């Protein structure tokens, strides 16, 4: 399938380039009078970008923290203090270092009687913020698993086929198994979608996605190939993944 790839020597260079582009999008969103809304990815790859972002002068960059709203694309169904929590990763790399108002931070809740209740709660939170149309974030960050999962949409998951609900509780073929994820109903709305992919362990899946027939991607075994966001889709790759 067609992939607009930006290849960088290493994760540091990838993260610095992504930060510059993120700040451009954020500045433009603020200039147009809105907040800058971003859906953060979990896993390890985006941590460097978040850390670099935390060290910038947001006001000078044109997107002061009181105009930035952080959302999450998926979450492991663990306590927010758990080492495996995507919220914890972003809090340690970014949130705890910047003067972003608490009301601008929108983590996926993981403290309900059942994960499905938290999925419904997050959808209600999104509706409260964006209204009743599936939201189009200004920017959404996505990672990629070696078998083609993205967010917490894993191969064979019914969540990939979801056409109504915005957030689902899913069982993932990864630890921890229980997760919450945005569904394609939301993920396909976004104006700017970036896949951040680094490391030699992603080389094979990148090659598989490159070889994915554009005409059959609707039936692709790789969830990352099944998403077709409305706006631009960029692949930020390090050389190890892109070879
Ligand atoms: C998660 C992520 C997941 C992640 C990929 C890549 O909760 O794990 O949202 O989709 O982005 O698994 O993870 P790495 O960046 O750690 O390789």
């Amino acid at each position: 399938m067609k992939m607009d790839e930006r290849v960088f020597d290493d994760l540091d260079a990838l993260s610095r380039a992504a930060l510059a582009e993120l700040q451009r999008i954020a500045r433009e969103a603020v200039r147009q009078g809105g907040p800058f809304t971003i859906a953060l990815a979990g896993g390890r790859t985006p941590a460097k970008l978040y850390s670099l972002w935390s060290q910038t002068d947001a006001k000078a960059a044109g997107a002061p923290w009181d105009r930035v709203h952080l959302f999450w694309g998926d979450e492991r169904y663990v306590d927010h203090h758990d080492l495996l929590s995507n919220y914890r990763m972003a809090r340690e790399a970014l949130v705890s270092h910047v003067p972003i108002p608490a009301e601008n931070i929108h983590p996926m809740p993981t403290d309900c009687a059942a994960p499905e209740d938290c999925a419904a709660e997050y959808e209600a939170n999104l509706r409260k913020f964006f209204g009743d149309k599936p939201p189009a974030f200004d920017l959404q960050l996505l990672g990629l698993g070696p078998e083609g999962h993205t967010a917490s949409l894993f191969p064979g998951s019914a969540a990939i086929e979801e056409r109504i609900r915005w957030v689902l509780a899913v069982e993932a073929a990864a630890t921890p198994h229980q997760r919450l994820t945005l569904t394609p109903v939301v993920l396909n709305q976004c104006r700017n979608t970036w896949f951040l992919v680094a490391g030699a362990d992603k080389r094979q899946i990148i090659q598989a996605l490159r070889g994915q027939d554009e005409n059959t991607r609707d039936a692709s075994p790789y969830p990352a190939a099944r998403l077709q966001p409305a706006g631009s889709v960029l692949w930020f790759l390090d050389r190890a993944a892109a070879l």
Side-chain angles (χ1 to χ4, degrees), residues 135-213:
F137 298 105
D138 293 305
L139 175 60
Q140 73 188 1
L141 306 180
L142 291 170
L144 179 70
E147 80 303 297
H149 86 258
T150 192
S152 280
L153 300 173
F154 283 76
S157 167
I160 301 166
E161 314 295 342
E162 178 62 34
R163 294 293 177 268
I164 307 290
R165 288 166 293 179
W166 298 5
V167 189
L168 284 178
V170 295
E171 282 283 331
T175 307
H177 297 302
Q178 189 66 62
R179 300 189 176 207
L180 303 179
T181 187
L182 295 184
T183 68
V185 174
V186 173
L187 295 171
N188 280 338
Q189 303 299 324
C190 194
R191 301 182 183 89
N192 296 282
T193 298
W194 297 352
F195 286 90
L196 306 179
V197 187
D201 62 323
K202 305 293 175 71
R203 191 173 300 168
Q204 197 172 355
I205 185 60
I206 289 292
Q207 287 169 354
L209 290 173
R210 284 172 180 153
Q212 173 66 53
D213 181 336

Side-chain angles (χ1 to χ4, degrees), residues 12-220:
D12 186 73
L14 181 161
S15 305
R16 291 180 189 283
L19 175 62
E21 189 59 17
L22 179 156
Q23 290 180 313
R24 184 190 65 74
I25 294 170
R27 189 163 47 245
E28 182 57 20
V30 170
R31 192 186 64 77
Q32 292 188 9
F36 170 56
T37 59
I38 180 172
L40 300 179
R44 295 180 309 275
T45 304
K48 179 69 179 174
L49 167 58
Y50 300 164
S51 173
L52 289 171
W53 191 12
S54 76
Q55 297 162 42
T56 62
D57 178 344
K59 202 173 175 63
W65 288 109
D66 63 345
R67 305 294 297 280
V68 175
H69 282 263
L70 305 175
F71 298 85
W72 273 257
D74 74 321
E75 185 55 279
R76 292 86 177 273
Y77 201 72
V78 295
D79 184 277
H80 282 166
H81 296 285
D82 190 301
L83 282 173
L84 292 173
S85 164
N86 286 337
Y87 171 69
R88 174 182 168 140
M89 183 274 275
R91 186 183 62 224
E92 290 186 345
L94 172 64
V95 173
S96 61
H97 304 284
V98 298
I100 185 168
E103 61 270 21
N104 291 27
I105 305 163
H106 311 269
M108 290 186 166
T110 58
D111 56 356
C112 302
E116 293 71 16
D117 300 340
C118 275
E121 182 180 328
Y122 201 60
E123 177 163 336
N125 293 349
L126 291 174
R127 286 178 184 275
K128 192 170 157 206
F129 187 89
F130 289 103
D132 278 338
K133 276 178 55 184
F137 298 105
D138 293 305
L139 175 60
Q140 73 188 1
L141 306 180
L142 291 170
L144 179 70
E147 80 303 297
H149 86 258
T150 192
S152 280
L153 300 173
F154 283 76
S157 167
I160 301 166
E161 314 295 342
E162 178 62 34
R163 294 293 177 268
I164 307 290
R165 288 166 293 179
W166 298 5
V167 189
L168 284 178
V170 295
E171 282 283 331
T175 307
H177 297 302
Q178 189 66 62
R179 300 189 176 207
L180 303 179
T181 187
L182 295 184
T183 68
V185 174
V186 173
L187 295 171
N188 280 338
Q189 303 299 324
C190 194
R191 301 182 183 89
N192 296 282
T193 298
W194 297 352
F195 286 90
L196 306 179
V197 187
D201 62 323
K202 305 293 175 71
R203 191 173 300 168
Q204 197 172 355
I205 185 60
I206 289 292
Q207 287 169 354
L209 290 173
R210 284 172 180 153
Q212 173 66 53
D213 181 336
E214 198 69 44
N215 300 317
T216 59
R217 63 184 287 187
D218 285 345
S220 172

